[in-house]
Amino acid sequence: MSAPDVAGLYRRFAEVEARGSSQTYERLCLAISEHAGVLAFLRTVPPLKRQPNLLLGALRLLGADVGDPMAALDFAIEHSEDLRAVMLARSTQTNEPARCAVLLPALALLPEPLAILEVGASAGLCLQYEKYSYAYLGEDGGSVRVGEGALTLPCLVEGVSPPERVPQIAARLGLDANPLDASDPDVARWLECLVWPEHTERAERLGAALTVAASDPPVVVRGLAPRDLPTAVEHLRADAPDATLVVVHSAMVAYLDRPHRAALARACRAAGARRLGLEGAQVTADLGVPVPAGDFGGRFLLTLDDVVLGHADPHGRELAWLA
């Protein structure tokens, strides 16, 4: 990735993803895209470590004032070695629990009981469907509550009827390159740094979801997708041989290169598993899914196997149904 490519990456992040959601990150990433020193620093880390969310989270973990672009840029140059160490050691593993509200209507379409394998599971926050409750807000202003969990996940829906209940889950398993311990304060601090500054509700929700996970941790094993998917599938099949096997991924496949994206889709088909995804439009296309025409901006596409069901806010706040 050349310097212009890195500059374009940060400019696109500012203009497509951060704009309208985080003025702090929009301003800072635009400044980064024009700062020769920080761009040169980014070229010293591997391409997959140059992603904006990783740099931004690392800056916050080290105490930079991301609300002041010039101060943050100076901090990055002055503390470049510390910044590099954090970026090489960490990864973006937000695993936003509110995405469960977007995934749930798709899961409800499948025959029960379910056996869920989440790839890129982080601390397992998106494996706890029945431990949350959901407030689906309709276009008419009405609200439908689903589930009985203490943590409520609100979601504005358009064109979709909320499920009547949370589907029965007979078995679940997470697969992650670096499983996280929800009870570890260092883990909590890092995940908090990955939540965008203006998103105070997300930060509160993250803390509550970590508390839930720490009290009864979901099983997340170390492994890579698609390489280790067959072994994980075998474990789930043994635990729930008659359940509908579902491989779930959200904001994870973007970290795979294009050949591995296609390989993941093939591995799911070979395992006889349904695949439920929540990813960007280009990533979805790389999975072999026909993507409808249109500009989805920074929104994610909700897919079941090779069908686009709808598009959603990346952090789970909204879902518009297309299917």
Side-chain angles (χ1 to χ4, degrees), residues 39-57:
L39 294 176
F41 161 75
L42 286 166
R43 293 202 305 274
T44 69
V45 299
L48 288 178
K49 293 290 186 176
R50 298 172 188 171
Q51 55 188 280
N53 276 317
L54 181 59
L55 173 63
L56 297 168

Side-chain angles (χ1 to χ4, degrees), residues 86-147:
V86 171
M87 294 174 69
L88 292 177
R90 309 261 184 173
S91 57
T92 53
Q93 295 176 274
T94 312
N95 209 194
E96 169 60 62
R99 290 181 184 138
C100 289
V102 169
L103 296 166
L104 193 66
L107 287 174
L109 299 175
L110 301 174
E112 299 179 49
L114 306 178
I116 297 177
L117 171 63
E118 185 189 11
V119 293
S122 185
L125 304 188
C126 286
L127 282 168
Q128 308 184 115
Y129 292 92
E130 73 275 31
K131 294 183 179 180
Y132 305 137
S133 60
Y134 306 85
Y136 289 102
L137 313 174
E139 301 166 82
D140 59 358
S143 176
V144 175
R145 188 178 179 90
V146 178

Side-chain angles (χ1 to χ4, degrees), residues 29 32 35 84 103 125 156 194 198 224 227 235 254 315-316:
C29 287
I32 290 171
H35 194 282
R84 180 183 294 105
L103 296 166
L125 304 188
L156 180 65
L194 293 174
E198 293 89 347
L224 297 175
R227 185 191 70 190
H235 286 303
H315 301 128

Side-chain angles (χ1 to χ4, degrees), residues 189-232:
R189 172 61 181 151
W190 172 240
L191 294 181
E192 288 168 2
C193 288
L194 293 174
V195 176
W196 296 5
E198 293 89 347
H199 297 187
T200 54
E201 288 187 6
R202 284 184 61 208
E204 293 172 359
R205 188 164 58 234
L206 171 66
L210 285 168
T211 299
V212 172
S215 66
D216 184 17
V219 177
V220 181
V221 298
R222 188 176 302 276
L224 297 175
R227 185 191 70 190
D228 297 312
L229 189 138
T231 301

Side-chain angles (χ1 to χ4, degrees), residues 249-305:
H249 55 86
S250 61
M252 170 270 172
V253 179
Y255 299 108
L256 303 178
D257 60 24
R258 287 188 174 182
H260 282 95
R261 294 172 187 178
L264 175 62
R266 290 196 301 270
C268 291
R269 289 193 293 269
R274 309 298 297 269
R275 185 184 56 77
L276 176 58
L278 185 63
E279 307 282 352
Q282 182 58 60
V283 173
T284 299
D286 291 341
L287 286 163
V289 180
V291 174
D295 181 9
F296 294 100
R299 292 175 71 81
F300 283 179
L301 298 183
L302 178 67
T303 60
L304 183 59
D305 301 324

